[in-house]
Structure formats: structure tokens, C-alpha cells
Amino acid sequence: MKQLFPLVLVPILLLSCAPPESREPAVPNEAAAADTTSAELHALFEDEWRSRLARDPLFASYQGVTDYNGLLPDVSPAAQERYLEEDRRFLERLARIDREALSAADSTNHELFEFIVGNRVKLAEYRPWRIPILSDDGFHMSVQRMYESAPLDSVEDYERYLARLQATGDYFDQNIANMRQGIADGFTQPRAILEGILPSISGSIVEDPEESVFFTPFLSLPGQFDDATAERLREAGRQAIAGTVVPAYRRFLNFFAEEYIPGARETLGTSALENGRAYYEELTRFFTTREDATPDAIHELGLREVARIRAEMENIITQLEFDGSFADFIEFLRTDPQFYVEEPEQLLKEASWIAKKIDGQMPAFFRTLPRMPYGVEPVPDEIAPNYTTGRYWGAPAGGRRGGYYMVNTYALDIRPLYTLAALTAHEGVPGHHHQGSIRNEIEDLPDFRRAFYPHAFGEGWGLYAEKLGIEMNIYETPYDHFGRLSYEMWRAVRLVVDTGIHYQGWSREQAQDYLAENSALSLHNVRTEIDRYIAWPGQALAYKIGELTILELRGRAESELGENFDIRDFHDAVLLSGGLTMDMLEQEIERYIENAGAGR
């Protein structure tokens, strides 16, 4: 889903549902007790869902709930404390529900609810709201396209949007106050990565309100509006942008440049923060969804994966009969014009062509295909310089657009064509768009699960999708195959550098050198990626842990089922329960193997 949230809003949001298992018929009293227990559980789900919508109006709009469309979140310390106490009470209610009395589906719901709210409570203890920004995301970016998730069909809709524009001032001031608290506590992003964030703030400071991304909804007002109404709304939009939005960004920019950067910590890793080692260990377990995950074990796994993938990359260089070292070949890939385009439209067309080639093959690999379409769009100019190479933006519930596979067209000399097939498979289909849309279309799923994005599951699936591209024949040249391996290496290196930075005391330069020496990523991407891992500790661990788990489970299914193994059934087994923790996914695939084997 790649809908990123700052470190302070660690994404414990998004989810899905396991198919019910058959059980022995219950006697009447048992059935009545089970119904009562299930009703209590779902009442808890509904109460927590309503609470979450009220806490984050932007999230509510994205989920298709319009009640809060004129509001922005309250992120004050007092509000954060209320949210924490409320979550503790939700967990107390959950603990009183007898899980043994639940159906298989509700038992899965119970376990995932505990994972989500339990992790919110654990991580809230570290007060991460003091850092509401990442290197490529943050509160100041989350509002820029809020108009896409809320309907704009009536005058009332526009009035609500205007109310949100007017609310940006207080919202920014609350976040600035939280960051000031972070400075006082020594709980900040590292100073080393902060200069790169400045353009994402200054890009929204415009002289002409009509040049602002916030004015976009006023460029094409509904045709049923009379001229006077349309002009009134446009003028109100100009005034709100000029009088509230731009001044809010200007205040934030001044604070960031004059207070935050000078006051930010000189250290780099999370372990340097107060209780930082314990915090990173908690983040490691959350992002991998493995209770037994440890930073040291993941670091060693990363080293082994780097060695394995490096050998495969060396084999391709040998096949190409390239005259030079590994470093020479990487330099050749980074600099030879044959691998780059000169116009943004060319890159977008190449990405679109690959996407459509994959679309045509999807029925051979998947029984269940989603209804939701997706498009290919450029990353917006105002955020492109410090943004990733590509990302998936999911479709808002009930919105008027599909999913977006976002392609970064900034600095085309660092956007090689040989990695484009892997990027497309990961962000579009069979990757994030396919997985996320399937989850959203599963019936009888509690709302909290539709909004759950377990990172190891989601990002592991995206990386698995890249490798599945081999079977789909999307890598047409040895350079394409090397590009895919370079992307896999990129994720393996993440295991090493994320744990290295945040747990073992690595420097920024050490991490950059390690990524640059082992992958064909451009040096610009190397810098932005390392800064991303520094800013968002633990998230980078999810990709490889998830992918390796899915590959291991597929290998187990192929071995045990033999000729009865069908790739389409396996993929349904992985995806049709929605997002799961890795332990739960293993259980799901064990059930699939048992049921498929029984049909032999």
C-alpha cells in the first residue's frame, strides 16, 4: 500500500480475513454463548474503528467516511495521552473475550486486533509523535493531496475542504510544538539527513495561490454550480491558501531551518535515543511481524543474502563477457546513455508498456483478480527530489480514481530502464496494487482489517512479485535480470544497513558505501534510500523477511503437493485472507497444503 506515515504515526493501520474452517455443530447453549462472544468482539471492533476515524480525519476520508471531511487531526500531547488510554481500555476489553469460544474467522480477527492495538500501545510509550516527519514524508505532505480522498460534488463538500485549508494553521502549529518538545528531549531526526527535507516544505510556498497544489479542486468545479457560486468558492480558496496554508508552510520552514536543524541530534541511530535500543527492538518485531526477531539475527541473515545475490550478479556479468570488475560494470550501468531516456513521457510510457504486458499474463498466475484498475502517474514535482524511485498510492475508498503507480521522473539520468520491470512488478501488478485491491474487495471483513497493512506481508509480497516476474517473462535482457537482482540486493542490503545504523553504530557514509558497492542504484538513490532508513528505523527490514517467508512457504507447498500444486491456488491462499503476520501466514499455508493434499 505504500501509504507512508511518519515515524510518529508508525503504520499500525491496515488488514484482512481468514476463511472460516469447518467445526463440529455446537449445541444450542454453546451456540448462544458463541454468538454473544462474537457480538462482544465485533462491538469492540466497531468502537475502536469509530475512535480511529475521529482521531484522524484524513484517515477517515481515505476510508470513505465523510463525517470528518472538514477537520484535521488533533496531535497535541493531551490528545496523544487520550488515545493511549483509550487503546489500553480496548485491550482490557479484548482480554475479557474468550477466544476459544470464537469461530476460526473471529479467532483470526481477535489475534490481529491484539497485534494492531497492542503494538500501538507498546510504541506509544516512546512518544514518537515528537518526530512527525520522515526523509520523504510527513504531516506537511499528508495534507497536500487530501482533496483526492474526499468527495467534491456539492457546495457543502467544497465548504468542508475550505474548512480543512483553514485548519492547516493550527495543525502545523501543533506539529511544530511537538517537534520543539522533541528538541528539548533530544528526540529528533538526525541532523545529517535534514537538509534534504527542506524542498518538500519550501515547494508549497507560492506567491500565486492558483499555483498551489491545494488549489487543484478549484480548477474544475462541478458544472451545476452557477457562476457566482463558483467564483465565491474560488476566491475563498485563494484566500485560504494565501492567508492560512502558505503562512503555515512558511512558519514550518522557518522553524525547520532556524530551530530544528540547529537543535537536532548529532547522533544517527535509534539506539542513541533514550531507551533507543529497546525502541529499535520493538520496531524490529513490529515491522517483521515476528515476535522472535532480533536485530543481530537479521543483520547476519542480511549478510548471507548479500553474498548469495552477489554471486548471481557476478554470473550475469560473466555471461555478458564484460571486460572489467564488478565496480566497473556498475559504473557502466550508471553512466551509459543506452539505459536512460531523455524525456519524462518516455519513462512513463515504458512503465505503462511493462504494466500492460504484465496485465495480460495475470490470469495464468492468479484465479482471483481485483476489479479496481490502476494508472501510471509521475511523482508530483514538489516532492520528487527527495522521493523514492517509485511508489504505489492506493485508491481511496469510494473515491473517483483507481490506484496510482507513481514513477519518479525527476533527474532522468538516475532512472535506469534496466530496473523498470522490477519496479513495475513491485508497485503495480502482481505487487502492491493487486495485493491491496484484493484485500479491499474481500467480503465480510471488519473495517479495521481493511485498513491494516502489515509491512512484512505487504512489502514481502511486493518483493516476491518482482521474483515472480521471472516466470512471467517480463525481464527481456540480461540487463533487466541484473536490474531485478540489483533490486533484490537493495532489499538484502537493507537488513544489514538498517540494523547496522540503528543497533550497531554504523555511520551514514558506511551505510551509503555498502549499498553503493553492492547494487546498481544511482548514487542519488543511494543517498535518499539511506536517509530513508535513518529516518524510519525498522521498516526496511520488512521486505526481505516477508519475501523469504513467502518463498519458503511456496517451496514447502510445491514439495508436499507435487503435481497437485497450482500456482493460482497458492497465490489465492496467500492473498485471500488479507494482510497477516508472518506466523499467521504460515498457519494459513499449512491449512491450504492440508486441504489441497486431501483432494489428491
Side-chain angles (χ1 to χ4, degrees):
M1 212 28 210
K2 301 283 181 79
Q3 190 70 28
L4 294 183
F5 295 81
L7 171 61
V8 325
L9 301 176
V10 188
I12 315 174
L13 303 175
L14 292 54
L15 229 173
S16 90
C17 189
E21 294 178 343
S22 60
R23 293 193 175 191
E24 292 296 319
V27 297
N29 286 345
E30 291 177 342
D35 288 344
T36 300
T37 304
S38 178
E40 290 175 359
L41 182 69
H42 283 268
L44 172 59
F45 294 163
E46 291 170 8
D47 288 347
E48 187 276 338
W49 183 248
R50 284 194 294 269
S51 168
R52 194 187 310 181
L53 297 175
R55 293 179 194 185
D56 189 349
L58 292 173
F59 170 73
S61 294
Y62 190 81
Q63 297 301 318
V65 177
T66 61
D67 300 11
Y68 308 95
N69 281 356
L71 304 174
L72 290 177
D74 181 353
V75 295
S76 66
Q80 304 290 348
E81 187 60 31
R82 287 199 310 273
Y83 304 155
L84 177 57
E85 288 305 314
E86 199 171 31
D87 283 341
R88 287 173 175 154
R89 289 196 294 273
F90 289 143
L91 289 177
E92 290 170 0
R93 288 173 60 184
L94 184 71
R96 293 195 294 268
I97 294 174
D98 181 9
R99 187 172 169 188
E100 293 299 318
L102 297 171
S103 67
D106 270 343
S107 180
T108 297
N109 292 333
H110 183 291
E111 183 173 353
L112 284 165
F113 187 86
E114 185 173 24
F115 177 85
I116 294 167
V117 182
N119 275 285
R120 277 213 306 261
V121 168
K122 290 175 187 176
L123 294 170
E125 298 288 350
Y126 299 93
R127 296 189 295 159
W129 45 264
R130 293 171 290 173
I131 305 178
I133 55 168
L134 301 178
S135 63
D136 61 352
D137 206 352
F139 74 91
H140 64 296
M141 296 170 67
S142 65
V143 295
Q144 288 175 338
R145 304 182 81 87
M146 57 189 177
Y147 61 85
E148 288 190 335
S149 57
L152 288 167
D153 299 318
S154 67
V155 173
E156 182 182 8
D157 291 337
Y158 273 84
E159 297 288 0
R160 288 179 170 184
Y161 179 65
L162 287 166
R164 271 192 168 159
L165 295 182
Q166 295 288 0
T168 56
D170 289 342
Y171 182 53
F172 273 49
D173 289 343
Q174 282 189 342
N175 279 286
I176 291 171
N178 289 347
M179 295 172 74
R180 280 202 177 101
Q181 184 64 54
I183 295 173
D185 297 340
F187 194 90
T188 70
Q189 289 288 11
R191 185 182 300 179
I193 69 169
L194 297 179
E195 293 289 340
I197 298 175
L198 287 168
S200 70
I201 307 171
S202 61
S204 290
I205 299 174
V206 296
E207 293 298 324
D208 182 355
E210 295 193 14
E211 294 179 357
S212 171
V213 67
F214 292 93
F215 194 76
T216 303
F218 300 101
L219 295 175
S220 55
L221 292 161
Q224 70 268 25
F225 291 2
D226 60 61
D227 291 345
T229 299
E231 183 51 38
R232 178 181 67 80
L233 292 173
R234 277 192 290 265
E235 181 56 27
R238 295 184 195 101
Q239 291 181 11
I241 292 167
T244 301
V245 176
V246 171
Y249 276 94
R250 188 170 286 115
R251 286 196 304 277
F252 183 41
L253 180 64
N254 291 339
F255 160 77
F256 199 83
E258 297 172 9
E259 294 185 50
Y260 198 73
I261 292 178
R265 62 188 173 101
E266 297 285 356
T267 55
L268 199 67
T270 302
S271 56
L273 298 169
E274 182 182 1
N275 298 322
R277 289 182 74 79
Y279 186 31
Y280 185 68
E281 289 165 1
E282 203 67 73
L283 290 168
T284 297
R285 289 188 287 270
F286 168 67
F287 282 115
T288 64
T289 71
R290 293 283 197 186
E291 276 299 315
D292 60 351
T294 66
D296 288 334
I298 288 175
H299 189 86
E300 293 302 314
L301 172 62
L303 292 173
R304 293 193 299 272
E305 280 293 284
V306 166
R308 177 188 64 80
I309 299 165
R310 177 67 175 261
E312 292 188 35
M313 296 169 83
E314 295 278 10
N315 285 339
I316 290 181
I317 295 174
T318 300
Q319 293 170 19
L320 287 168
E321 299 181 349
F322 180 79
D323 184 15
S325 65
F326 184 88
D328 293 334
F329 186 70
I330 296 299
E331 181 64 17
F332 162 66
L333 292 178
R334 287 175 177 156
T335 58
D336 194 291
Q338 69 175 299
F339 301 120
Y340 301 87
V341 298
E342 296 182 354
E343 298 296 333
E345 291 76 13
Q346 292 176 274
L347 190 63
L348 294 170
K349 287 178 180 178
E350 286 290 335
S352 302
W353 170 240
I354 295 168
K356 293 311 295 181
K357 285 195 296 183
I358 298 174
D359 280 348
Q361 297 190 65
M362 290 293 287
F365 293 87
F366 297 91
R367 289 199 189 280
T368 304
L369 298 173
R371 297 185 298 274
M372 178 63 69
Y374 73 103
V376 179
E377 293 286 332
V379 172
D381 292 342
E382 62 269 19
I383 64 173
N386 217 43
Y387 207 68
T388 50
T389 298
R391 191 167 290 177
Y392 176 66
W393 292 4
R400 296 193 174 185
R401 68 163 176 84
Y404 280 167
Y405 162 31
M406 307 299 294
V407 179
N408 199 330
T409 58
Y410 169 80
L412 291 171
D413 58 343
I414 60 172
R415 314 292 176 193
L417 295 174
Y418 54 79
T419 61
L420 197 56
L423 178 68
T424 303
H426 184 112
E427 305 297 347
V429 300
H432 287 314
H433 174 75
H434 180 77
Q435 177 262 322
S437 298
I438 287 289
R439 179 203 64 219
N440 291 338
E441 295 174 14
I442 297 173
E443 296 182 356
D444 301 323
L445 207 61
D447 288 327
F448 81 93
R449 293 195 58 185
R450 293 194 193 282
F452 178 51
Y453 188 76
H455 287 252
F457 185 92
E459 300 304 339
W461 176 263
L463 187 49
Y464 170 79
E466 295 177 25
K467 186 162 285 188
L468 186 62
I470 299 173
E471 299 169 65
M472 303 179 87
N473 296 312
I474 69 171
Y475 305 111
E476 298 180 346
T477 71
Y479 298 112
D480 292 338
H481 282 283
F482 194 92
R484 185 200 67 78
L485 284 171
S486 185
Y487 265 30
E488 186 178 8
M489 175 67 87
W490 174 21
R491 279 45 167 265
V493 166
R494 287 177 178 181
L495 301 181
V496 179
V497 300
D498 198 274
T499 52
I501 291 165
H502 295 292
Y503 208 71
Q504 299 186 2
W506 280 34
S507 69
R508 187 187 187 206
E509 291 73 23
Q510 185 178 2
Q512 288 178 345
D513 289 346
Y514 191 77
L515 180 54
E517 291 166 3
N518 284 291
S519 76
L521 291 181
S522 71
L523 296 181
H524 172 87
N525 283 344
V526 166
R527 179 189 66 78
T528 59
E529 285 300 316
I530 294 300
D531 285 359
R532 174 184 165 196
Y533 312 148
I534 293 169
W536 202 2
Q539 194 271 346
L541 307 179
Y543 298 71
K544 258 292 168 185
I545 299 300
E547 181 226 24
L548 291 173
T549 300
I550 295 171
L551 288 172
E552 191 275 330
L553 292 174
R554 175 174 167 178
R556 190 187 307 174
E558 289 174 329
S559 175
E560 295 189 26
L561 294 177
E563 293 182 356
N564 284 347
F565 177 81
D566 189 313
I567 189 69
R568 297 169 297 175
D569 294 335
F570 173 76
H571 288 156
D572 270 6
V574 172
L575 296 178
L576 291 187
S577 291
L580 301 171
T581 68
M582 291 299 94
D583 292 336
M584 296 175 73
L585 180 62
E586 288 184 354
Q587 296 168 10
E588 188 64 36
I589 298 306
E590 286 172 4
R591 284 194 289 269
Y592 150 71
I593 292 172
E594 182 179 348
N595 292 335
R600 281 194 271 192

